[in-house]
Amino acid sequence: MKYHVDEKGYYGEFGGAFIPEMLYPNVEELRQKYLEIMNEDSFKKEFYQLLKDYVGRPSPLYYAKRLSEKHGAKIYLKREDLNHTGAHKVNNTVGQILMAKRLGKTRIIAETGAGQHGVATATVCALMGIKCIVYMGEIDIARQAPNVARMKMLGAEVRPAISGSKTLKDATNEAIRDWINNPVDTHYIIGSAIGPHPYPDMVTRFQSIISEEIKWQLKEKEGRENPDYVIACIGGGSNAAGTYYHFLDEPEVGIIAVEAAGKGIDSGESAATSALGKIGIIHGCKTMLMQTSDGQITEPYSISAGLDYPGVGPMHSHLYTSGRAEFYSATDDEAMTAGLELSQLEGIIPAIESGHAFAIFQHKKFKPDDVLVLSLSGRGDKDLQTYIDYFKLA
Amino acid sequence: MGNRIKLKLKEDKKLLSIYFTAGYPSLNSTVKIIQDLEKNGVDMIEIGLPFSDPLADGPTIQKSSTDALINGMTTEILFDQLKDIRKSVTIPLIIMGYFNPVLQYGVEAFCKQCEEIGIDGLILPDLPLDVFQSEFEATFKKYGLLNIFLITPQTSDERIRQIDKASNGFIYMVSSASVTGSKTGFGNEQEAYFERIEAMNLKNPQIVGFGIKDNKTFQQATKTAKGAIIGSAFIKHLTENGENNIPDFINTIR
């Protein structure tokens, strides 16, 4: 079984580029050039240099002793929360801004849910002196106020998406419309492993630095490159894609994905795509998505804005249907509890998105000598208000 | 009988085509709007199948789609509303929508329903050329449906030739780089584009859409093209004047 993208842009039956003709020239240009550009020595040099000196990579692989004792397994945390801007998102935006420059683009657009991708995009645009416009759902603007302020401080313009559920899906629609309206000077930095081919593959490759580092870091610590399990939360799936990438073809490594169940899978307020979705077209790719029997895309729900998305990247759809990955879902309550537990056992406040990955221990029992690597995809500063309200901390 | 679109394209006149969203302004407006458009001299109609996430549409059509869905429109209901449409309407009818609802209905089942009703073609902007050709071309043909492709000012000559070759009716010529309903009037850029396409001598006639809203833009668009499609401007008219004043709108165009 092949888990990487094929030459036509598919992962099994998922993927492709289902885009209106207006987007074809831009997406086709990217498709033709992205691998060539990424393989240029000068590109690699600049990319790795920025990851090291600007982002602060490699991010630590941290052995979480107290968490390990509590849950009876050897648990390592891949500390993407320690990256500049506080999440894994910046790995991709650094790569894509370099890509945009080589494509001669002078204007950047992005969508954002939790605001982490928006901040990461605004950051690299400031770094390169390129104009930046971030689309963000009106509801997310309200629940992620600190990130909105950060984007503005970085010089980006934040435009509210006021259609539909006013969250990530709608912000993505607005960004795509902007790209249709500005086809010549603009590059669209998609933040997740979604969108028309080559986006899922390009984003995954930029994020694959996560598993590239896990391999040598784990070798140093455990004398082996491959853990028994890699575990990540999934919305669109970019941190998961990066965490899994170099383990996809290592059958002894178990791959675990945790989706957001919201208020429960059967509550009608959920974002657990693998459980609730079926194959369809969203944002330019064929993938699993939540929809009505009539093919209308459903409004998802999760307490975490970054997982509040009705689809999942095409690579993950393939990992799910092929059985390569185990999919779980965690409710708001389970994720919040897991976030509090990590805070108090390890002194690390995770993003609520990442909290979902840590909720795996409420669903699956591991063996004491199992070596686990959990992607701690982002830090929880942006979620403090949500934590405070939820646990009545104030 | 031949395909109504092909017959219409042979007529010696510039064609006026109107797009509207099925189920808007009210769920049961669909048939009456189609009948009134034909009575008032419209040559062809694009019936919009509403979608929750219309990527290529501006605020006007987005809102009409959202409202139509709130009104309860579904693929099933639309087909039911249209089942007797050929008893009263003879002009070409095209269904325009996004690919996902068609995929969920089943592409073959959808095409079969279209044939039974008397639909002549489909416009599915996010069904790409290569996927259409490898997976669905034979099905469309089996049920006598034309698939209408889009081109834009950014489409390369090479790609336009490919699309011309794959087309079998007309080419939907998007007037400018924009979502629907966002440009006001045509400038030098559009004229240059219209002339470039005319000079290519394509085998399929072109019908211009996006940005047509009144007599002036209709005249500009049809100087070189076979016809023009009006969408957002007509929906705005429905919003402001209701569905009983269709002649007022059509009379301002020609």
Side-chain angles (χ1 to χ4, degrees), chain B:
Chain B
M1 196 189 83
N3 184 288
R4 295 177 198 85
I5 298 170
K6 289 188 182 179
L7 294 173
K8 181 59 79 177
L9 289 165
K10 286 187 188 137
E11 290 180 15
D12 183 26
K13 65 190 279 205
K14 298 294 185 182
L15 305 180
L16 171 61
S17 185
I18 296 285
Y19 167 94
F20 76 101
T21 306
Y24 181 84
S26 58
L27 179 62
N28 295 314
S29 309
T30 317
V31 170
K32 184 175 183 306
I33 289 175
I34 294 171
Q35 289 168 340
D36 281 6
L37 288 172
E38 177 170 49
K39 269 183 223 150
N40 286 283
V42 167
D43 297 298
M44 189 157 67
I45 297 171
E46 278 93 45
I47 304 162
L49 179 64
F51 183 48
S52 55
D53 294 76
L55 292 180
D57 287 302
T60 303
I61 295 181
Q62 281 176 46
K63 179 154 191 323
S64 67
S65 301
T66 306
D67 288 357
L69 293 172
I70 292 169
N71 290 342
M73 183 50 80
T74 64
T75 310
E76 202 79 58
I77 289 174
L78 177 61
F79 282 145
D80 191 56
Q81 290 178 346
L82 295 177
K83 67 179 189 295
D84 294 325
I85 196 73
R86 284 304 175 196
K87 288 181 182 160
S88 59
V89 172
T90 61
I91 58 173
L93 297 176
I94 295 171
I95 290 184
M96 181 165 186
Y98 290 81
F99 187 43
N100 196 50
V102 179
L103 193 64
Q104 300 312 319
Y105 195 87
V107 176
E108 170 126 26
F110 193 95
C111 291
K112 188 163 181 279
Q113 272 293 330
C114 285
E115 188 197 35
E116 280 169 16
I117 288 165
I119 299 294
D120 305 289
L122 298 179
I123 306 176
L124 304 168
D126 59 345
L127 171 60
L129 176 62
D130 59 331
V131 176
F132 171 74
Q133 288 184 316
S134 63
E135 295 181 38
F136 303 119
E137 191 164 17
T139 309
F140 276 54
K141 208 171 161 191
K142 181 174 164 193
Y143 297 105
L145 292 170
L146 304 188
N147 187 31
I148 311 299
F149 294 102
L150 276 57
I151 62 170
T152 83
Q154 274 68 44
T155 312
S156 68
D157 284 6
E158 187 195 350
R159 176 114 175 136
I160 291 173
R161 295 274 176 219
Q162 250 182 327
I163 286 169
D164 190 37
K165 208 174 152 197
S167 298
N168 187 19
F170 68 90
I171 291 174
Y172 190 130
M173 193 169 148
V174 177
S175 67
S176 55
S178 74
V179 295
T180 54
S182 52
K183 288 282 193 283
T184 51
F186 295 138
N188 296 339
E189 207 180 307
Q190 273 75 41
E191 273 175 30
Y193 164 56
F194 294 164
E195 282 164 17
R196 170 167 82 97
I197 302 303
E198 188 188 22
M200 287 183 78
N201 277 316
L202 302 176
K203 82 173 164 83
N204 292 278
Q206 306 94 50
I207 298 193
V208 179
F210 291 40
I212 323 287
K213 58 183 171 105
D214 50 20
N215 177 268
K216 189 177 170 214
T217 43
F218 181 78
Q219 294 299 338
Q220 284 174 315
T222 54
K223 213 170 107 192
T224 58
K226 177 69 184 167
I229 302 169
I230 299 179
S232 299
F234 179 64
I235 289 177
K236 253 182 215 149
H237 179 83
L238 288 177
T239 306
E240 287 161 13
N241 304 289
E243 56 198 275
N244 296 318
N245 295 291
I246 287 175
D248 297 352
F249 181 79
I250 302 303
N251 292 337
T252 63
I253 305 300
R254 285 225 256 230

Side-chain angles (χ1 to χ4, degrees), chain A residues 329-372:
Chain A
S329 61
T331 62
D332 290 353
D333 292 338
E334 289 165 343
M336 295 300 277
T337 307
L340 186 66
E341 180 186 86
L342 184 70
S343 304
Q344 300 189 349
L345 282 179
E346 297 291 346
I348 299 169
I349 301 173
I352 298 172
E353 288 77 13
S354 316
H356 286 74
F358 288 84
I360 187 65
F361 300 110
Q362 299 166 48
H363 291 271
K364 184 176 169 80
K365 196 96 185 108
F366 295 93
K367 295 200 285 288
D369 56 350
D370 278 345
V371 173
L372 276 49

